[in-house]
Every structure is written in structure tokens, then in C-alpha cells.
Amino acid sequence: MPKPESFPIEKIFVPTKQKKAIKPEIVGEIAESMLDIGQQAPISVRLDGDRLVLVEGLHRLEACKALGETTILGVLVPAELAQPKPLLSDEPRVEAERIKMARLKQLRLEKEAEASTAALRSVNATEAPRTRPTKGVRDNPKASPGRTAKSTPKTLSDWITQQKGSGGRY
């Protein structure tokens, strides 16, 4: 691991893409921390011709600038290893977004399954074949229960008596 050394801040070039990621509230927090305990973690820079290019440590660099520092602790890394890492503050947000999207997808799938089940039930209810009522039971929902739940007569005389009582013809 390379040893941290001091670099002049005005010689460090910050790529435009990284400049867009500056968050003033984070710079302020780091600046306050630097006033109390100093710079704890060095930034990473790489050589590009005669200039230094910032690889990692944008907010630390900006905090040093805000404090009026002229130099900053940093580590010189080879260009092959100089792949910028995502900001730490972005990782939890990205993970939270991924979890949120997975939950929304799950809810959508549950809602679609519920809708398709309800549609299937309604189709089955409308297409169900109509069965004929058993003999002696009327298909009249307004009829009184005493009149619709008659038993089947066992003899011819019982049948005639039942027909006379219900007003039927024999």
C-alpha cells in the first residue's frame, strides 16, 4: 500500500462528472470533523501527464478547500487501479431503492393474482350448469320454507293428499 503524502490542492483536477456529485451538507460535516480531529483518511489521486486527477475523496478535498487548506493528504495510485468507487452515501440509497422496487413488484404480482382469481370465480359462477331442483322442491325463492321442503309421498293416496293441499292437479 502506498504511503500517504501531501499534495497541493490547486494541482488536483476534479473530473466534471465527479463535481456533479458534491453534496454541501456532507462537505460541511467533514469540514467540522477535520477541525476537531484532522484528516483521517487520505484521498486517492492518479497522474495524468503533469497533473493529478482525483480518483476518490471528493468531499474531503472540498472540505479542505472550504477550510482554506493549501495541501491535502493523499495516495498516488496507478491508473490501472484508479477505478472510481461509488460514493458510500449512494450505496445504502441504491440498496433501499432495490428493496423498494422488489416490494412494489411483489405487491403488483399479488394484486394481479387476486384480480385473475376473482375473474376466474366470476366466470365459473356464470358458466356453472344449472341443475334441476329435486322433485317436490320448488324453484321459487319467495316461497315459504314450509311449502318447498316437502317430502316425497310414499303411497298414491299420500300423493293425492299432497296435491290437494298444494293446489296441484291430479
Side-chain angles (χ1 to χ4, degrees):
M1 168 117 187
K3 190 173 182 179
E5 53 186 291
S6 184
F7 294 103
I9 291 178
E10 72 272 355
K11 295 232 180 201
I12 298 173
F13 171 74
V14 180
T16 308
K17 190 174 182 181
Q18 282 186 336
K19 283 182 183 178
K20 292 179 182 178
I22 293 175
K23 295 184 177 155
E25 62 275 3
I26 295 175
V27 172
E29 289 174 13
I30 293 174
E32 287 178 21
S33 172
M34 285 182 172
L35 282 174
D36 292 339
I37 58 175
Q39 183 183 351
Q40 298 297 307
I43 64 170
S44 299
V45 292
R46 67 177 172 83
L47 278 174
D48 183 27
D50 60 341
R51 69 179 179 175
L52 296 168
V53 178
L54 181 70
V55 175
E56 185 178 9
L58 174 66
H59 290 101
R60 285 171 275 169
L61 178 67
E62 292 299 318
C64 282
K65 284 181 183 177
L67 293 173
E69 297 287 329
T70 57
T71 60
I72 187 168
L73 281 176
V75 177
L76 189 61
V77 295
E80 298 84 37
L81 301 175
Q83 295 297 323
K85 296 179 183 175
L87 295 174
L88 291 178
S89 61
D90 286 347
E91 289 177 11
R93 190 179 76 222
V94 169
E95 182 65 16
E97 187 70 21
R98 187 189 64 75
I99 291 170
K100 177 182 169 186
M101 294 306 291
R103 181 68 182 140
L104 287 173
K105 181 179 179 182
Q106 180 66 28
L107 289 172
R108 183 178 49 84
L109 290 174
E110 288 172 2
K111 189 175 181 180
E112 287 175 0
E114 187 178 301
S116 65
T117 303
L120 186 59
R121 278 192 211 128
S122 68
V123 166
N124 286 342
T126 57
E127 291 182 1
R130 230 177 141 181
T131 57
R132 294 181 64 161
T134 57
K135 191 173 183 181
V137 178
R138 290 186 175 184
D139 193 20
N140 183 355
K142 292 184 179 179
S144 64
R147 296 197 63 163
T148 58
K150 295 203 177 192
S151 61
T152 309
K154 295 181 181 175
T155 63
L156 180 61
S157 64
D158 290 339
W159 181 80
I160 292 172
T161 306
Q162 183 183 13
Q163 291 295 318
K164 283 182 182 178
S166 64
R169 297 178 72 188
Y170 61 97

